[in-house]
Amino acid sequence: STSKPVEILPKLNELARFAPDQEIDLFEEIKFEPSVMCERLDKKASFRFSQIEDGDIICFQKKASPEVEEQVRFPDVPSYLEYVKNRQIVHFRALEKPKEDDFCLELAKSDTYDDVVERVAQRLGVDDPSKIRLTSHNCYSQQPKPNPIKYRSVDHLVDMLIHYNQISDILYYEVLDIPLPELQCLKTLKVAFHHSTKDEVEILNVRLPKQSTVGDVLNEIKSKVELSHPNAELRLLEVFYHKIYKIFPLTEKIENINDQYWTLRAEEIPEEEKNLGPHDRLIHVYHFTKETPQNQMQVQNFGEPFFLVIHEGETLAEIKVRIQKKLQVPDEEFSKWKFAFLSLGRPEYLQDSDIVSSRFQRRDVYGAWEQYLGLEHADNTSKRPYVSQ
C-alpha cells in the first residue's frame, strides 16, 4: 500500500500489449451506479494516500494528445464510462406501422429533445427536424401511447422512454408536412361528409387554428366537397353507436371537440328542414335489429342514423313513402321492414294508420336520442364506398 502507481507502469503496458515506454493515464472507477464517478489517479502518490484498497478498480488508457482529444467523442476514461452508462439503442417505428422496426439509432439517455429529432431527421433525410413528431411506447399494451410528444415538452431521451418506472427502447415517428410547433397551434378534425345526392361518404381531415368555430370547419368542408347546389347549408353532427347525440352550434369552438371516440359527420341541411311549420317536428330515425341473448330482448342499432321532418296528423303510411324514397330501398325489401316508436330502448310497433307525431309529444325524456322512430330490418347494409381525402 505504500508503493506508487508509477512503479507498476511498465507492468501495465506489458499487460495491455502497449510499447514499454507508452505514457498512460490512470483513473479510479469509484462507482458506476446510479451515476458514474471516475477520478484521475495521481501516479506519484502512494496507493494508501490515494485511498486505494483491495478490490478497487483502476482503469488506464494511452495518454491522449490534444489533437486526438479534439477528434474523438470520448477522449478519456470518465467520458467513455459516462457514454457506456448512458448509451441507449432505440428502435424507431413509423407510427402507421407500429409493429415493424424501421431503423435503430444509438443515442444517449441524456440526449436532449433537439438531439433526438435531429438524429432521426438526419437518418430519414428530412431537412427540418421540427417536422419530426415522436410518440412514446406503452410497455403494457405494446402499442404507441395515444398522444404524441409535444414539441420540446420533454428534456431528455430518457423521459421519452420511461413508462411507469420501466424503460422502453421503442419510439414511433411521423414526418409532418408542417413544423410541429405550427401544427400544435392547429386542431385537426376527422369528419365524415355524407353526400346528399350520391350514396357516398368522404373522409376529410380538416386542420384549422384551435380558436376556430364549427362554422369555420363547415366553410372549409364546403371548399373541398361537391355540394348539391352552391348555396347549400351544412351542419356538423356527433354520431356514436349509430345514434345522433348532438348538432354542433356554429359558434362552438373546435378546441374541445373530440373526434377520437365518436364520429363527426357533416351533411347538407335538407330544404324541408329549413322551413319547419309551427307543428312540424324534427325526429331521429335509427335502424335496429332485435337480439335475444338469454331470453332478454335487446335492441341493436346499426347503419346511418338520420333526421326526418314529420308533420302534424301525418300517418306512418305517408312517412314510409318518404323514408323509402330517401333511402332508395326496393319495394320487395321495404315490405319486410317494421316501424316502431322507441323510448329508452323499448319498441312500440306502429300501424300504417298511426299518427306518428302524437308519439313524439313527450318532452320530459332524457336526451332526444333516446326517443326515435326505429326501422327494424336485417343488418345487410352494404358498406358505403368511403373516399379518403
Side-chain angles (χ1 to χ4, degrees):
S1 63
T2 55
S3 56
K4 300 170 184 174
V6 71
E7 296 162 24
I8 60 165
L9 297 183
K11 179 66 178 165
L12 293 180
N13 276 335
E14 185 191 331
L15 287 169
R17 296 198 177 95
F18 291 166
D21 57 350
Q22 173 66 50
E23 198 176 344
I24 54 177
D25 286 334
L26 277 59
F27 299 85
E28 183 194 359
E29 184 190 326
I30 299 162
K31 63 175 185 171
F32 190 75
E33 296 288 354
S35 56
V36 171
M37 193 170 172
C38 183
E39 291 176 358
R40 188 177 286 275
L41 193 62
D42 184 348
K43 288 183 273 193
K44 293 181 178 155
S46 71
F47 289 112
R48 181 185 289 160
F49 182 81
S50 298
Q51 297 181 328
I52 298 292
E53 299 172 2
D54 285 356
D56 283 349
I57 300 170
I58 294 175
C59 307
F60 66 96
Q61 67 172 92
K62 290 181 181 178
K63 186 173 179 64
S65 65
E67 300 83 56
V68 168
E69 285 199 354
E70 277 177 27
Q71 285 166 10
V72 298
R73 285 164 69 197
F74 312 110
D76 57 24
V77 171
S79 63
Y80 179 73
L81 288 184
E82 196 68 57
Y83 152 71
V84 171
K85 167 82 180 155
N86 263 312
R87 74 176 155 194
Q88 175 73 51
I89 304 287
V90 180
H91 301 261
F92 284 92
R93 300 174 175 181
L95 189 64
E96 66 267 21
K97 291 184 185 166
K99 294 272 172 251
E100 301 167 28
D101 282 2
D102 196 0
F103 58 89
C104 296
L105 290 178
E106 185 186 274
L107 302 166
K109 294 188 182 96
S110 54
D111 280 349
T112 64
Y113 174 90
D114 285 3
D115 293 335
V116 176
V117 291
E118 216 162 281
R119 288 285 303 280
V120 173
Q122 204 177 342
R123 175 70 176 71
L124 294 169
V126 174
D127 56 347
D128 181 355
S130 71
K131 288 184 180 173
I132 301 293
R133 178 162 69 174
L134 300 173
T135 299
S136 296
H137 179 68
N138 180 325
C139 299
Y140 298 111
S141 68
Q142 293 295 315
Q143 301 213 339
K145 288 190 185 175
N147 297 315
I149 297 166
K150 291 194 168 154
Y151 182 69
R152 289 181 176 164
S153 64
V154 294
D155 294 330
H156 299 106
L157 173 65
V158 69
D159 305 314
M160 301 180 193
L161 299 177
I162 209 147
H163 180 242
Y164 292 121
N165 299 330
Q166 285 193 44
I167 285 214
S168 129
D169 62 355
I170 295 168
L171 281 175
Y172 303 89
Y173 72 85
E174 297 163 89
V175 180
L176 305 171
D177 56 345
I178 60 171
L180 182 54
E182 280 180 44
L183 182 64
Q184 282 176 190
C185 299
L186 302 173
K187 169 99 175 174
T188 303
L189 290 177
K190 186 176 170 185
V191 181
F193 176 72
H194 288 238
H195 284 268
S196 63
T197 48
K198 49 186 177 179
D199 195 22
E200 195 178 274
V201 176
E202 209 170 323
I203 303 295
L204 305 166
N205 284 305
V206 180
R207 193 192 274 168
L208 289 168
K210 285 181 179 172
Q211 56 277 20
S212 307
T213 62
V214 168
D216 298 328
V217 172
L218 295 175
N219 286 335
E220 179 74 9
I221 290 172
K222 280 182 190 174
S223 68
K224 293 183 170 188
V225 298
E226 195 184 315
L227 300 169
S228 62
H229 61 95
N231 301 325
E233 285 178 50
L234 301 184
R235 64 180 163 211
L236 189 67
L237 313 175
E238 181 181 283
V239 177
F240 188 60
Y241 280 108
H242 315 286
K243 292 180 176 182
I244 298 167
Y245 281 81
K246 180 176 182 179
I247 303 178
F248 287 96
L250 294 177
T251 53
E252 185 166 334
K253 295 269 187 287
I254 64 170
E255 189 166 2
N256 300 319
I257 293 179
N258 191 327
D259 61 351
Q260 298 291 309
Y261 301 107
W262 33 79
T263 307
L264 298 179
R265 175 167 121 194
E267 62 186 21
E268 289 186 23
I269 303 173
E271 287 304 314
E272 62 167 6
E273 287 184 31
K274 294 182 194 171
N275 311 311
L276 288 181
H279 303 296
D280 293 339
R281 298 195 70 138
L282 191 62
I283 64 166
H284 294 235
V285 186
Y286 304 155
H287 303 269
F288 77 97
T289 58
K290 274 192 318 208
E291 294 189 354
T292 50
Q294 290 95 38
N295 294 328
Q296 278 189 316
M297 191 197 72
Q298 257 188 342
V299 167
Q300 285 284 10
N301 294 104
F302 67 91
E304 297 292 356
F306 60 94
F307 288 116
L308 188 72
V309 175
I310 56 169
H311 310 297
E312 193 177 20
E314 202 173 15
T315 63
L316 177 63
E318 293 168 305
I319 288 171
K320 275 163 69 171
V321 172
R322 292 197 286 128
I323 289 176
Q324 184 178 5
K325 186 181 172 193
K326 180 180 176 71
L327 300 179
Q328 298 170 344
V329 183
D331 291 345
E332 188 185 345
E333 191 190 326
F334 196 71
S335 63
K336 298 174 195 165
W337 287 24
K338 292 181 188 168
F339 295 78
F341 168 75
L342 283 96
S343 180
L344 297 168
R346 286 188 298 276
E348 291 173 39
Y349 287 93
L350 302 174
Q351 304 302 317
D352 280 0
S353 56
D354 286 345
I355 305 294
V356 177
S357 59
S358 63
R359 304 294 173 124
F360 287 89
Q361 296 305 328
R362 283 171 282 169
R363 294 276 183 179
D364 56 349
V365 72
Y366 169 72
W369 58 86
E370 291 302 356
Q371 207 181 58
Y372 61 89
L373 179 62
L375 317 178
E376 187 187 348
H377 60 100
D379 180 4
N380 56 3
T381 45
S382 60
K383 292 276 177 260
R384 285 182 168 204
Y386 273 80
V387 183
S388 277
Q389 188 168 303

